[in-house]
Amino acid sequence: MEELTKSLHKLKQPNPNDKVYKDECIFSFENPESPDGLFICLTTFKGFSKDFLKLYTSKTGNNFFLNIKRFKHPIEKQSDGPESKVTRLAIGVADGFNPDSPQFRYEEKYEVVVVTDMKIHTFPYPHDIEKLPKVVQVCVESILKAESAFRVAEKEALSTWDGETRITTKHTNLLQLNNGKKIPPSGWKCENINCDLTNNLWLNLTDGSILCGRKFYDGTGGNDHAVEHYKNTNYPLAVKLGTISRDGKADVYSYDEDDMVEDPNLAVHLAHWGINITQMEKTEKSMVELELDLNQKFGEWIAQQEQTNQLSPCNANHAGLINLGSSCYLNSVMQMIFAIPNFVEQAKLASGLLSGKHLEGIAPRTFRTYIGRGHPEFSTNRQQDAQEFILHLINMLNRNVIDDKNLADYFKYQIEERYQCSSGKVKYQHRPEYLLPLPIPMDAVINKKEVEEYEAIKKSQGKNTNNQNPVRAKIELESCLEKFAASESVEQFYSSALQDKTTASKTTRLASFPPYLLIHLKKFTMEEDWTCVKLDVAIDMPEVLDLEHLRGNGLQDGEELLPEANESQAPAPVYDQILLGQLTEMGFPIEACKRALYFTENRGLEPATQWLMEHISDSDFSDTFVPPGIDAKKESETFTPIQEHVEILMSMGFTKEQAAKALKETNNILERAADWAFSHINELDSMGMEVEIPAEPKFKTGKGLYKLMGFITHMGTSTMVGHYVCYLLENKKWILYNDEKVFVAEKPAKELGYIYLYKRMDNFDTE
């Protein structure tokens, strides 16, 4: 007993600030439901699987643990009541999606475990607890009562998301025309002479017109006549007929606010057209209900693309990722990224995916908590864009380099931009990139006739075509590459030869080819009314891709370089401060706002906003703005740490120089800077008083010949709704990862992808 109790002085009770990891092993995905359960250290409150127990004890000397084993039993459905149904586009709220919906009842068993001389001693709790000192019982009871670290993180991450929350429209005092029109209580039909639709109809609250709504991704819905009417009239508000109910609720859409809205004066606005809201009955599905239907029909959509009645489950060493509430974007990205061999031994998540131990699926709670910490979007449960998440992940990899090995380098390539101004002289600029963004030229559609015939049939037959497979516009990838490489005109280019602003032509090439190339098809674009739409197109993506024709070779014979020009030589850009303030209040990054004002010459809010909308997907959209033609200062010359953050880090024991280095590496984010500093102690201890100018970046390059390895597909009309899945080529078979469900894909929808992963076909070690 003396040997068992000699380390009792190290036992602690968790205080409110301590994190208790009692849901999952910190090194693996073993949990209380695993055969051996989970072991929580009574000193550090970290959880371990049995595989790591003795190793942890030998390294730390902490040898007291609480073992939790959990057994789940299915809950039988109640036959005397209706089955619970999702009726709200929401997560974690009443009638919405509930990841923690009680499908099982749980039974837990506990043991106190003491490890001595590599032997494990067990004491069933609470039966044998009297054999151990009172302090053990107190610690165990405190851990059982404490909220788990994952649950705390969920609360911090806003564990509920309500997709039905709507802003109040700015058009509450809407001007309505007195044209004598009155709307009957039923019998509505689209007023467009070429349309016979009698459902999905929208009443414009300004002039009383009744027109059909937008069409959905699967070809159902309307023919866009209500949208066209807004473009012609600018009448902003429309209400969906059939959704108006006597309790004052209805679907109201504001075209210029580009969102579903609340109209506090809806009853008054409807009364103007002779509609008594207290007499109305809801007869059609709301947009929320339609979105729910589309989301829940996803399996049918996959089956349609596969052209098979049933997908074959894939159970051999393929683990899926459980959806933690609108995290399908994360699941798809991580399945694709961790399929790369270089990542296999680098992370707990990769090990869990590839170990073959968790075929029922694993929940990436720890990873999501860490990767989203401090980020205004990825720390929430809201749906996100997979492309933006990939860039965020790469930024995190760049900030957390281990042993001089940066995993982001496997995606990094160099862009070459060539400018030629009216003097005839040229300028070459280079920058690193991680995704290749390809525009989609809608003027290059190869089946234009078939698409036009399909649209004509839809307009003439209306809802009778809703059950047909939609005819998508088809575009060759080569057309996208040609658009990417085409020469473009750059206004207000500062020519150091002319010492004045002029117009220059710009061409873009690839100066290096990374081991793994991520291609982003820019399917989300802005319409003329600034509404965000997704292009419903099919891009022919080859399995073998040759990009050598896009290789940049730098200065050519006969070309003359422009003299170097810095910001002190060129006239300083002038930004209208009122316009700059208005743009930033809209939520645009300040550097992007500077770009917009510079290229629109401060002409006004509308031109600047339009420029922002047209360039919102540019890779350098929010980077520090340097006028074209000007040589940017080196990063080390321009970085200024936030003084308050420096002082806080210095209070933790770091020097001023070390604090500045940590903030520089983490873009002035204090919490990340502290984490970075503590994980790079050796580097900070050896650094000099001056921050060194970073060396020129190196690129892993080779031939521009690639083979398709995987892709992510998005189903839905917006990045903020819908669903992501991932396809991976493994052993000559395509595997479909739909969250925790994994299937063999007989006919992968390669032409409908959003993000593609290509693997270079030559030696990866060339630099």
Side-chain angles (χ1 to χ4, degrees), residues 335-344 354 410-411 516 709 757:
Q335 287 285 8
M336 186 170 73
I337 295 298
F338 284 117
I340 297 174
N342 307 85
F343 282 71
V344 171
L354 305 175
Y410 288 96
F411 306 106
Y516 295 91
M709 181 179 174
L757 175 65

Side-chain angles (χ1 to χ4, degrees), residues 288-302:
V288 165
E289 291 169 323
L290 289 173
E291 187 67 51
L292 287 170
D293 286 349
L294 293 175
N295 283 345
Q296 295 174 357
K297 283 169 56 181
F298 179 71
E300 300 171 16
W301 180 82
I302 286 290

